[in-house]
Amino acid sequence: MSSLRNHTVEGVSGVFSIIGHERCKSYLIFHHETDLGDGFRAFLYFAALAYCFIGLSAITARFFSSMENVVKHTREVVEIDTSTGTKTIKHEKVWNYTIADITLLAFGTSFPQISLATIDAIQNLGSLYAGGLGPGTLVGSAAFDLFPIHAVCVVVPKAGELKKISDVGVWLVELFWSFWAYIWLYIILEVWTPNVITLWESLLTVLQFGLLLMHAYAQDKRWPYLSLPLGRGERPEDWVPAEAVSYMQMNKLHGEYSEILESGQDGDGKIVDIFSIHSGSGTGPIYHNLPATDMSETSTNHLGSDTILEESCIFYIWKQQFMDALTLESSESRKLNSILLRVASIFWQSLLAPWRLLFAFVPPYQIAHGWIAFICSLLFISGIAYVVTKLTDMISCVTGINAYVIAFTALASGTSWPDLVASKIAAERQITADSAIANITCSNSVNIYVGIGVPWLIDTLYNFIAYGEPLRIENAKGLSFSLLVFFSTSVGCIIVLVLRRLIFGAELGGPRLWAWLTSIFFMFLWLVFVVLSSLKVSDII
């Protein structure tokens, strides 16, 4: 039976090129695509791929806003003074700072790659071979995260401004698990079971994400025996401080709309959330005393009227999302003196309009602490990832470019755009470099433990039940070589970050010249990875 299965596998492997050629005769949207010629079809598919990446950048802003609202969520803790009987309410954050970085930020921004890899795995069920599109994209995404995103973040702070990692212990834990992820991947590809993945290997890969969470939490809480004895510097109260930009809210006295903060706050500076209505003037600190007696009926009625008004505000904001999506020229573009700049702005808004109209269906992030918008954003990202897999398949067919090369270059760069945006925003708006750099290191861990582990678990479980055999890796040698190149270049990146900490006292910012030189060096390391990996896949080296 085993020899028959091996013979079948060899037969499947032998007709891969024939199947690929037949698939090039298929079409993506309309039947007559095949009559356009391979060159023109490749141009159209690359243009569509770029447009999907624009869509990812458009949904990232909405996703990031919802994520901020999730992390801002607090719970009320009532403390009673035993001597006076005075009740004191303390608002504590629900999310741990470190866990939010690893799960919401890193997992959320890596969701395009995770979705793409999972879709690729499901499409290859029953083939006995793992799809190369997902692993290639995730390894390439790791290189993009580590090098280009570091290159951007290091020059984001203003000239002379320094932003350092406040909790070095947590960063070292995250860095350890990030490096171990790629060492582990190399071990299971080349040492334990070369060129195949067993069910237990894929299961252990996924379970290590839980170990990362527990270890990082233990370090954040400074648990004895499980944490490094390192101090922690000043850390911002807010995960990502909100910026004051204008929005609209219904005026509670006259029924008209007035300017408020776009960050979802009402006129008193309180978060507008229909599942979390806060009382009080909002002008004092977050600690305030309450009388020992219960709230009066008048206060209860006032709270009910506030709920109705805030719900009206939510519906207005949702309506405003659709109106903004259909507005091609903003007030800022009207102020431009150059007609060329105004035309360029209108053209760009026209490109974004279909995406903005589609994403306007995502509920406002002021609802349910942002969770509904967060989940809906991930669903839209998954939909785009599915289209991207189809486009990549067609591009590989009509151009003859190895799908693995496309995966760790074009796909990795495009799907890593949310990572770039998130780290850039964190580097701009936080007083420390923790979240900006944690997003990079944790995203790389998530890419392996979840992004590769879950798809391989799906495939190995199916093969184990259906055939009783492990999962074969079609391009294991190329993937292993890319891992070695990535590991070697990443050591250079970490050494530079350590030297910047020792010389300038911070990982990001500093003297402008040195910041730009660091950025150029990081980009050089990325080019080395891309070139060497491409040459290996093409059997040139």
Coordinates of all heavy atoms in Angstrom, one line a residue, residues 15-16 21-23 39 144 157 176 199 224 226 246 249 265 294 297 323 338 350 398 441 454 459 468 487-488 512 516:
V15 N 3.0 15.3 -13.1 CA 2.1 16.0 -14.0 C 1.8 17.4 -13.5 O 0.9 18.1 -14.0 CB 0.7 15.2 -14.1 CG1 1.0 13.9 -14.7 CG2 0.0 15.1 -12.8
F16 N 2.6 17.9 -12.5 CA 2.3 19.3 -11.9 C 2.4 20.3 -13.0 O 1.6 21.2 -13.1 CB 3.3 19.6 -10.8 CG 2.9 19.2 -9.5 CD1 3.7 19.1 -8.4 CD2 1.5 18.9 -9.3 CE1 3.3 18.7 -7.1 CE2 1.1 18.5 -8.0 CZ 2.0 18.4 -7.0
H21 N 0.0 24.1 -16.8 CA -0.2 24.7 -18.1 C -1.7 24.8 -18.4 O -2.2 25.7 -19.1 CB 0.5 23.8 -19.1 CG 0.3 24.3 -20.6 ND1 0.9 25.4 -21.0 CD2 -0.4 23.8 -21.6 CE1 0.6 25.6 -22.3 NE2 -0.2 24.6 -22.7
E22 N -2.5 23.7 -18.0 CA -3.9 23.7 -18.3 C -4.6 24.8 -17.5 O -5.5 25.4 -18.0 CB -4.5 22.3 -17.9 CG -4.0 21.2 -18.9 CD -4.5 21.4 -20.3 OE1 -5.6 21.9 -20.5 OE2 -3.7 21.1 -21.2
R23 N -4.1 25.1 -16.3 CA -4.8 26.1 -15.5 C -4.6 27.5 -16.1 O -5.4 28.4 -15.8 CB -4.2 26.0 -14.1 CG -4.6 24.8 -13.3 CD -3.9 24.7 -12.0 NE -4.3 25.7 -11.1 CZ -3.6 26.0 -9.9 NH1 -2.6 25.2 -9.6 NH2 -4.0 26.9 -9.1
G39 N 1.0 38.4 -22.0 CA 1.6 39.6 -21.5 C 0.6 40.6 -21.0 O 0.8 41.1 -19.9
F144 N 10.3 41.2 5.6 CA 9.7 42.5 5.4 C 9.5 43.2 6.7 O 9.8 44.4 6.9 CB 8.5 42.5 4.5 CG 8.0 43.8 4.1 CD1 8.4 44.4 2.9 CD2 7.1 44.5 4.9 CE1 7.9 45.6 2.5 CE2 6.6 45.8 4.5 CZ 7.0 46.3 3.3
P157 N 10.6 59.2 14.2 CA 10.7 60.3 15.2 C 11.3 61.5 14.7 O 12.1 61.5 13.7 CB 11.6 59.6 16.3 CG 11.4 58.2 16.2 CD 11.3 57.9 14.7
F176 N 13.3 36.2 21.7 CA 13.7 34.8 21.8 C 12.7 33.9 21.1 O 13.1 33.1 20.3 CB 13.8 34.4 23.3 CG 13.8 32.9 23.5 CD1 15.0 32.2 23.3 CD2 12.7 32.2 23.9 CE1 15.0 30.8 23.4 CE2 12.7 30.8 24.1 CZ 13.9 30.1 23.8
L199 N 1.8 15.2 11.9 CA 0.8 15.8 12.6 C 1.3 16.3 14.0 O 0.8 17.4 14.4 CB -0.3 14.7 12.9 CG -1.5 15.2 13.8 CD1 -2.3 16.3 13.1 CD2 -2.5 14.0 14.0
P224 N 8.4 35.3 39.6 CA 9.7 34.7 40.0 C 10.0 33.4 39.2 O 9.0 32.6 39.0 CB 9.6 34.5 41.5 CG 8.2 34.5 41.8 CD 7.5 35.4 40.8
L226 N 10.4 32.7 36.3 CA 9.9 32.7 34.9 C 10.2 33.9 34.2 O 9.9 34.1 33.0 CB 8.4 32.4 34.9 CG 7.9 31.0 35.4 CD1 6.4 30.9 35.3 CD2 8.6 29.9 34.6
S246 N -11.2 66.2 14.2 CA -12.6 66.5 14.3 C -13.5 65.4 13.8 O -13.2 64.7 12.9 CB -12.9 67.8 13.5 OG -12.7 67.6 12.2
Q249 N -21.0 65.1 16.4 CA -21.9 64.5 17.4 C -23.2 65.3 17.5 O -23.2 66.5 17.3 CB -21.2 64.4 18.7 CG -22.1 63.7 19.7 CD -21.7 64.0 21.2 OE1 -21.2 65.1 21.4 NE2 -22.1 63.2 22.1
Q265 N -14.8 60.2 21.0 CA -15.1 60.8 22.3 C -16.3 61.8 22.1 O -16.4 62.4 21.1 CB -13.9 61.4 22.9 CG -12.8 60.5 23.1 CD -11.6 61.1 23.7 OE1 -11.4 62.4 23.6 NE2 -10.7 60.4 24.3
D294 N -27.4 55.2 47.0 CA -27.6 54.8 45.6 C -27.9 56.0 44.7 O -28.3 57.0 45.2 CB -28.8 53.8 45.5 CG -28.5 52.5 46.2 OD1 -27.3 52.2 46.3 OD2 -29.4 51.8 46.6
E297 N -33.4 58.5 41.1 CA -34.2 58.2 39.9 C -33.9 59.2 38.8 O -33.8 58.8 37.6 CB -35.7 58.2 40.3 CG -36.5 57.8 39.1 CD -38.0 57.8 39.5 OE1 -38.3 58.0 40.7 OE2 -38.8 57.6 38.6
M323 N -21.2 58.7 3.5 CA -21.1 60.0 2.8 C -19.6 60.3 2.5 O -19.3 60.8 1.5 CB -21.7 61.0 3.7 CG -23.2 60.9 3.9 SD -23.9 62.1 5.1 CE -23.6 63.6 4.1
S338 N -2.0 74.2 -6.2 CA -1.7 73.6 -7.5 C -2.9 72.8 -8.0 O -3.4 71.9 -7.3 CB -0.4 72.8 -7.4 OG -0.2 72.1 -8.6
S350 N -10.6 58.7 -6.1 CA -11.5 57.9 -7.0 C -11.1 56.4 -6.9 O -11.9 55.5 -7.0 CB -11.4 58.4 -8.4 OG -11.8 59.8 -8.5
V398 N 0.6 32.6 -16.2 CA 0.9 33.3 -17.5 C 2.3 33.9 -17.6 O 2.7 34.2 -18.7 CB -0.2 34.5 -17.6 CG1 -1.6 34.0 -17.6 CG2 0.0 35.5 -16.5
T441 N 8.5 41.9 16.1 CA 9.0 40.7 16.6 C 7.9 39.7 16.8 O 8.0 38.5 16.5 CB 9.8 40.9 17.9 OG1 9.0 41.6 18.8 CG2 11.1 41.6 17.7
V454 N -1.1 26.6 11.8 CA -2.6 26.2 11.6 C -2.8 25.6 10.3 O -3.5 24.6 10.2 CB -3.5 27.5 11.9 CG1 -4.9 27.2 11.4 CG2 -3.4 27.9 13.3
D459 N -3.8 20.5 7.1 CA -3.4 19.6 6.0 C -2.9 18.2 6.6 O -3.3 17.1 6.1 CB -2.3 20.2 5.2 CG -2.8 21.2 4.1 OD1 -4.0 21.1 3.9 OD2 -2.0 22.0 3.6
G468 N -3.4 8.4 6.1 CA -2.4 7.8 7.1 C -1.0 8.2 6.8 O -0.1 7.5 7.3
F487 N 17.8 34.2 9.0 CA 18.4 34.1 10.3 C 19.7 34.9 10.3 O 20.0 35.6 11.3 CB 18.6 32.7 10.7 CG 19.0 32.5 12.2 CD1 18.0 32.5 13.2 CD2 20.3 32.4 12.5 CE1 18.4 32.3 14.5 CE2 20.7 32.2 13.8 CZ 19.7 32.2 14.8
S488 N 20.5 34.7 9.3 CA 21.8 35.3 9.3 C 21.7 36.9 9.2 O 22.4 37.6 9.9 CB 22.6 34.8 8.1 OG 22.8 33.4 8.1
R512 N 19.7 62.6 12.8 CA 19.1 62.3 11.6 C 20.0 61.5 10.6 O 19.5 60.6 10.0 CB 18.7 63.7 10.9 CG 17.4 63.5 10.1 CD 16.3 63.2 11.0 NE 15.0 63.0 10.2 CZ 14.0 62.3 10.7 NH1 14.1 61.7 11.8 NH2 12.9 62.2 10.0
W516 N 19.1 57.7 9.2 CA 18.9 57.4 7.8 C 19.9 56.3 7.4 O 19.6 55.4 6.6 CB 19.1 58.6 6.9 CG 17.8 59.4 6.8 CD1 17.5 60.6 7.4 CD2 16.7 59.0 6.1 NE1 16.2 61.0 7.1 CE2 15.7 60.0 6.3 CE3 16.3 58.0 5.3 CZ2 14.4 60.0 5.7 CZ3 15.1 57.9 4.7 CH2 14.1 58.9 4.9

